Amino acid sequence: MHLPVIADYLTPHSEFLIVVSGFGASMGAFPARCELTVFETSYLLLSLVFSSIGLGYFIYGKKQHHKTVYYAGIGLMVFPYVVTDRTSMILIGVLLMGLPGLLKKLDLGE
């Protein structure tokens, strides 16, 4: 029985590249060469910060029955999976954090 071979090395852009091949590839579970990229430290830190703030918004919105805060929390937890650029992540995260307050100030939200 051949176990999968996992090789990781540092690329020039300070990202890790993980290559999986071997038993799973021969069984059809993976393509012959499957590459997964793990992002930079700044991306991981920003996604952790915005997801944690989103969890707080989500819990607060659920307990206080504030729909805008609730949905902003869901958005803050989900958007780091879609956005990979740091500047876009910061802009969208700040926008989502300020959205409930802005909507309340404009009398459009709860």
Side-chain angles (χ1 to χ4, degrees):
M1 180 170 163
H2 182 336
L3 295 176
V5 177
I6 300 175
D8 57 352
Y9 54 89
L10 195 61
T11 64
H13 300 292
S14 298
E15 296 177 353
F16 290 97
L17 180 66
I18 301 171
V19 179
V20 179
S21 62
F23 180 71
S26 64
M27 295 288 293
F30 297 109
R33 181 177 166 96
C34 178
E35 297 179 1
L36 305 171
T37 304
V38 180
F39 298 99
E40 297 178 345
T41 306
S42 61
Y43 171 80
L44 294 173
L45 182 64
L46 285 171
S47 63
L48 176 69
V49 167
F50 286 125
S51 294
S52 299
I53 293 170
L55 180 63
Y57 272 44
F58 175 77
I59 292 171
Y60 176 79
K62 187 174 181 179
K63 287 187 178 185
Q64 299 296 323
H65 302 289
H66 286 270
K67 289 183 182 178
T68 55
V69 177
Y70 176 79
Y71 289 118
I74 292 174
L76 281 166
M77 288 188 290
V78 171
F79 92 93
Y81 291 104
V82 180
V83 179
T84 57
D85 183 43
R86 286 181 298 220
T87 56
S88 300
M89 183 177 289
I90 291 170
L91 291 174
I92 293 170
V94 169
L95 179 71
L96 284 172
M97 287 184 342
L99 189 64
L102 180 66
L103 291 177
K104 185 177 180 181
K105 193 173 233 182
L106 297 174
D107 289 331
L108 296 174
E110 294 179 35

